[in-house]
Amino acid sequence: MWIVLISQKPAVEPIGVKDSTVKDVYDKGEIDWTHGFIRAKGYGFIDPNKPKGQAKLLAERAAVADARRNLLEIVKGVHITSETVVEDYMVSSDIVVQRVEGLVKDAKVIGKPKYYEDGRVEVWVEMKLDNLAKTLPTKPSVSEPQEKPEEGSVIIKTPEGTKACMYPRILDENGNVLFDASQYPEAKDMWSKSIKYVKGKVSTLPGGSIVIEAAETKGCDIIVKKDDLDKVSKLKKWGSYILKAGKFIINLVM
């Protein structure tokens, strides 16, 4: 069972091309929605008045601390839905602040330090979106067994400009929420498996397909036309199965 969101922009490359990763890129880091990581870089400076070995060690430690500070700023801006970001949760709960800061503190260093001629050392750190999803106090509400999928795939065509977030939603043209990924415990417990973001165009998929046309998008919310409400109703019945199977694929042109 597949659910795929495809941009209406023509002549895009198929999934599998080198640029298929969906990222939000910032001056000091990035959110890799496709692989489920948040990364940030930081800098330290070598003190020429200290012994070389000690100076390098201190510079690398300073770079890691700077990278983790930058990572925290990026994490605060991660969109949970089109209406909320991580910082909203942190403002309202000291417990969330402690949990998020704990995740950032434990963010691991990736790659090797990079040294520059001006005495700077650059270090990158990363944390998993999976861990962030488990930290935030969402309350999944879908717990009863659902129907097994009748179709091989569900394709949702979206206009260019759709944004990535942790829990995408599908709405009708009156603003009523028809499908909300945050309601499913599978999406909270296995985020990077349950929800996939990729760029490109899906040309062929196994089995039959249901195609849902998006009227527009607002952030990461998908607004569908009246004619497709029945199709979305089926999708809601299949939600747990497609999330468990890792077949909720959001295909964007960004």
Side-chain angles (χ1 to χ4, degrees), residues 31 33 38 74-80 84-86 129 132 166:
I31 304 172
W33 292 101
I38 309 173
I74 294 174
V75 169
K76 288 180 179 179
V78 172
H79 270 82
I80 307 306
T84 61
V85 295
V86 172
L129 280 168
L132 182 60
M166 296 198 70

Side-chain angles (χ1 to χ4, degrees), residues 181-197:
S182 70
Q183 294 182 347
Y184 296 82
E186 294 82 8
K188 182 177 177 67
D189 297 338
M190 304 179 294
W191 188 90
S192 64
K193 177 183 178 181
S194 300
I195 300 175
K196 298 287 186 181
Y197 282 93

